[in-house]
Amino acid sequence: QVQLVESGGGLVQPGGSLRLSCVGSGRSFSDSIMTWFRQTPGKEREFVAAAARRGGNSWYSDAVKGRFTVSKDNAKNTLDLQMNSLQPEDTAVYYCAAGSRVILSAIRLPRQYDYWGQGTQVTVSS
């Protein structure tokens, strides 16, 4: 059974940091672009950050660029997201996704991804 499992969410004050982790099992994701999305109630799932198949390249939304860092470890089958300078607008459920057939021009589209985790809640509040 192929699974992606996220962890590391929680409550943090504005300006604080969190590190999310996503662990894959059931198959290797070394052939996949792996991506973090986030979603708030009533809104569509939003692209956050992605890591290339070999982990060398990464892409970020304008909203998180300069504050978040994504890293992929194919040996461990993991995808991490270091989130710094968190703001209340970063509050959301964060999802890990993987896709072996994702094209770069469509990397921000959820429908490109084959596998999803269950999500982890991040709440930024004082």
Side-chain angles (χ1 to χ4, degrees), residues 31-85:
D31 65 345
S32 301
I33 287 177
M34 294 186 75
T35 299
W36 288 98
F37 287 85
R38 65 187 182 187
Q39 190 170 24
T40 54
K43 293 190 175 182
E44 293 187 353
R45 203 159 286 190
E46 174 192 19
F47 170 83
V48 175
R53 291 172 173 85
R54 296 182 180 180
N57 290 332
S58 56
W59 301 269
Y60 298 91
S61 70
D62 289 343
V64 307
K65 195 175 297 182
R67 300 188 297 124
F68 291 10
T69 302
V70 65
S71 57
K72 187 173 188 270
D73 188 330
N74 285 333
K76 297 180 180 179
N77 228 21
T78 59
L79 181 75
D80 290 346
L81 185 68
Q82 177 65 43
M83 305 185 296
N84 298 328
S85 302

Side-chain angles (χ1 to χ4, degrees), residues 79-96:
L79 181 75
D80 290 346
L81 185 68
Q82 177 65 43
M83 305 185 296
N84 298 328
S85 302
L86 283 162
Q87 300 301 319
E89 52 266 33
D90 295 316
T91 296
V93 177
Y94 283 70
Y95 297 91
C96 173

Side-chain angles (χ1 to χ4, degrees), residues 97-118:
S100 60
R101 296 166 293 178
V102 176
I103 56 174
L104 292 182
S105 61
I107 200 168
R108 299 166 186 264
L109 299 179
R111 66 174 181 264
Q112 290 285 310
Y113 296 85
D114 302 312
Y115 302 104
W116 290 86
Q118 82 290 350

